[in-house]
Amino acid sequence: MNTMAKLPTVTTSTHNHAAASVMARILSTENISVVVNPAASTASFDLANRVLYLPEWKDMSRNVYDMLIGHEISHALHTPADGWRSTCDSISGTTDTSSPEWRTASLYLNVVEDARIERLVKDKFPGFKRDFVTAYNELAAKDFFGVKKIDLNTLTLPDRLNLYYKLGTIGSVGIRFTADEQQFISRIDAAKSFDEISSIAADLYTFCKEQQAKKQKQQQTPTIPNDGDSSDNGKNDTKAPESKKGEKAQDKGPAQNMKGSGDKSD
């Protein structure tokens, strides 16, 4: 499906937040709280406190608004708060939610869990299918993910997985995966339970860590020793080649825009 150049939009001031709150409670089958936060960069669901946060973007269409609600109420229905925290603790090896390791684990878990919960909410409520397609078309046209001028295949694996399961639902976006990476697609597609998703996220964390280590090793440039004779007062000093440390690669891309701190899932 081609990306739409323009879609009719309305300002968020016309949205009936009270009606959205009622809809969210009905669909989530519990008395969750719904808070509209004009300062929010995206929608999110506080798993521990059962609060759905909605942004108030300029010219946000009804389809985008409904898609955000559908996405977050699916977290309410299918993502366990205790399971989320314990999985991130286990993957990262720390309980410090502010540490880079914990936040990375949370981000990776969010990427694979998003794919599952979006599939589940569309299966449970087929009416959301059109909202998701139209909404992602609109967000793609507005370059919401910030990848319009980027070769998607230069992005990290978590970023490519995220875009594959979001923008890929509206048509091919040309994202490629190696044979080793393709296993994650197959496993995510088949995953039904959160336990399966937790296992995939743990393997993704390990896989990316190993790939990063290989990349850094390849960036190391050893110094070639001089083949000529070297002498200093009759002594021949043999020194091991010194290596220059490669600069630490930084993962940049759309996945970094997803905050995964604490028990809040974006």
Side-chain angles (χ1 to χ4, degrees):
M1 183 179 293
N2 294 328
T3 300
M4 298 181 183
K6 289 185 179 180
L7 288 171
T9 59
V10 294
T11 60
T12 54
S13 60
T14 65
H15 291 321
N16 188 330
H17 299 311
S21 180
V22 172
M23 181 179 78
R25 289 189 180 94
I26 293 173
L27 296 179
S28 65
T29 68
E30 64 175 289
N31 190 28
I32 63 174
S33 299
V34 179
V35 176
V36 177
N37 181 7
S41 60
T42 187
S44 62
F45 185 72
D46 188 327
L47 295 169
N49 298 306
R50 317 307 289 172
V51 181
L52 191 164
Y53 294 94
L54 290 170
E56 195 164 19
W57 297 329
K58 181 181 179 181
D59 296 331
M60 179 165 57
S61 73
R62 169 58 63 183
N63 292 112
V64 170
Y65 195 71
D66 289 347
M67 180 273 286
L68 294 175
I69 292 175
H71 180 101
E72 301 307 334
I73 65 102
S74 194
H75 274 303
L77 287 167
H78 305 293
T79 306
D82 292 341
W84 182 277
R85 176 64 68 93
S86 62
T87 296
C88 293
D89 291 348
S90 176
I91 293 174
S92 64
T94 179
T95 58
D96 180 4
T97 60
S98 64
S99 70
E101 294 81 8
W102 201 97
R103 293 181 65 84
T104 298
S106 179
L107 186 149
Y108 288 6
L109 177 58
N110 198 69
V111 167
V112 294
E113 174 66 340
D114 271 4
R116 182 182 77 105
I117 60 100
E118 288 196 354
R119 182 176 70 245
L120 291 177
V121 77
K122 287 184 285 187
D123 288 343
K124 187 176 181 65
F125 305 110
F128 273 123
K129 292 180 180 180
R130 182 177 179 180
D131 290 323
F132 273 84
V133 170
T134 305
Y136 279 134
N137 261 309
E138 180 180 334
L139 293 177
K142 292 181 177 180
D143 197 23
F144 174 80
F145 295 98
V147 295
K148 196 171 185 178
K149 297 181 180 180
I150 296 177
D151 179 356
L152 301 185
N153 292 298
T154 64
L155 299 175
T156 63
L157 175 56
D159 282 333
R160 282 180 284 130
L161 287 172
N162 182 47
L163 293 172
Y164 174 83
Y165 281 105
K166 287 183 169 61
L167 296 185
T169 61
I170 61 176
S172 175
V173 287
I175 299 176
R176 298 187 299 272
F177 297 95
T178 65
D180 288 337
E181 294 171 342
Q182 188 65 40
Q183 63 167 312
F184 292 103
I185 299 291
S186 300
R187 292 174 64 190
I188 293 171
D189 286 346
K192 295 181 180 179
S193 69
F194 182 77
D195 286 343
E196 291 174 288
I197 288 297
S198 296
S199 178
I200 296 170
D203 290 343
L204 178 62
Y205 184 93
T206 300
F207 180 86
C208 290
K209 194 172 182 179
E210 291 175 347
Q211 292 300 307
Q212 183 63 35
K214 290 180 181 179
K215 184 177 181 180
Q216 290 182 346
K217 187 175 181 179
Q218 291 173 351
Q219 289 176 337
Q220 292 178 340
T221 306
T223 300
I224 302 175
N226 190 346
D227 290 333
D229 293 333
S230 61
S231 61
D232 183 7
N233 295 327
K235 289 185 178 180
N236 291 326
D237 296 328
T238 302
K239 296 183 179 180
E242 296 179 355
S243 298
K244 296 181 180 179
K245 295 183 179 179
E247 295 182 358
K248 184 177 181 181
Q250 297 180 350
D251 291 342
K252 296 182 179 180
Q256 284 195 330
N257 294 329
M258 298 182 303
K259 301 174 183 176
S261 60
D263 295 313
K264 185 179 288 187
S265 175
D266 294 346

